[in-house]
Amino acid sequence: MSDRNTLIRSLHDVGLAAWFGGSLMGAVGLNGAAKDQSETARVRARIASSGWAKWTPVNAGAIGAHLFGGGGLLAANAHRVAAQKGVGASTTAKTLVTVAALAATAYARVLGKKVELASSSDPQDAEEAAQHPIDLDSAQRQLAVAQWAVPALTGCLVVLNALHGEQQRPEEQLPGMWERARSAATPFIPQHS
């Protein structure tokens, strides 16, 4: 009933695991450790920014792997998306949550880069920050919200993956496809008052 897609499923799942886990660890561990290391907001921002900047390339790779794997799974399971009741809706929900997670991740990175430049002791960074001045406190508050939005949204993706896994079980596929076919075959009968 279903073919094996081990490589694309692995890329999808490992990419999501790194995206979720890295963002959660950063929001909890990295930001928390930075707060413990200094009394001043500028130094805390510099410490956290350094860690987040080092994570960015790994995170980009994880997101790329997740998206590539997700596209592959969508192509491999297109028949189920079209034919099995509930799979199209959960796929649409997963797509919307993925877009929201990507937007939150991008927004967090933009804010993070601004905070990084504004808190840097490097004269070149200070010069670049002066060209685009920001209110460091305001940017850090917005960044805190964005950094928590990413693990919340990617956590939702983990739950939607579990739902997709359940929907792919053989005992779910046949009844779901039968229900979809039955619904499509039932003629529309207008109701008269």
Side-chain angles (χ1 to χ4, degrees), residues 7-9 11-12 61-75:
L7 178 61
I8 59 174
R9 188 176 305 279
L11 288 170
H12 176 268
I63 293 168
H66 173 68
L67 295 176
F68 182 81
L73 286 174
L74 182 59

Side-chain angles (χ1 to χ4, degrees), residues 35-117:
K35 285 180 183 174
D36 292 345
Q37 295 302 311
S38 178
E39 296 291 323
T40 67
R42 185 172 291 279
V43 173
R44 286 192 304 265
R46 194 173 327 146
I47 293 168
S49 292
S50 176
W52 282 108
K54 288 179 183 355
W55 174 247
T56 296
V58 175
N59 198 41
I63 293 168
H66 173 68
L67 295 176
F68 182 81
L73 286 174
L74 182 59
N77 291 290
H79 65 285
R80 286 186 46 250
V81 173
Q84 185 180 344
K85 185 176 182 181
V87 176
S90 63
T91 300
T92 299
K94 188 174 172 192
T95 301
L96 293 173
V97 174
T98 300
V99 169
L102 287 167
T105 301
Y107 184 59
R109 185 60 195 135
V110 167
L111 287 170
K113 189 64 178 173
K114 288 180 178 183
V115 169
E116 180 184 337
L117 291 172

Side-chain angles (χ1 to χ4, degrees), residues 102-182:
L102 287 167
T105 301
Y107 184 59
R109 185 60 195 135
V110 167
L111 287 170
K113 189 64 178 173
K114 288 180 178 183
V115 169
E116 180 184 337
L117 291 172
S119 64
S120 178
S121 57
D122 183 326
Q124 198 171 28
D125 288 346
E127 185 179 316
E128 190 174 338
Q131 294 173 4
H132 307 284
I134 65 160
D135 176 359
L136 186 57
D137 290 336
S138 174
Q140 286 180 303
R141 281 191 301 276
Q142 292 172 33
L143 181 57
V145 171
Q147 285 175 336
W148 278 106
V150 176
L153 290 164
T154 53
C156 287
L157 289 174
V158 171
V159 172
L160 287 168
N161 280 347
L163 173 61
H164 274 179
E166 291 297 312
Q167 289 174 327
Q168 196 165 7
R169 294 167 48 161
E171 60 268 19
E172 292 285 325
Q173 288 186 41
L174 280 178
M177 289 179 185
W178 172 252
E179 183 61 33
R180 173 63 69 90
R182 191 176 68 76

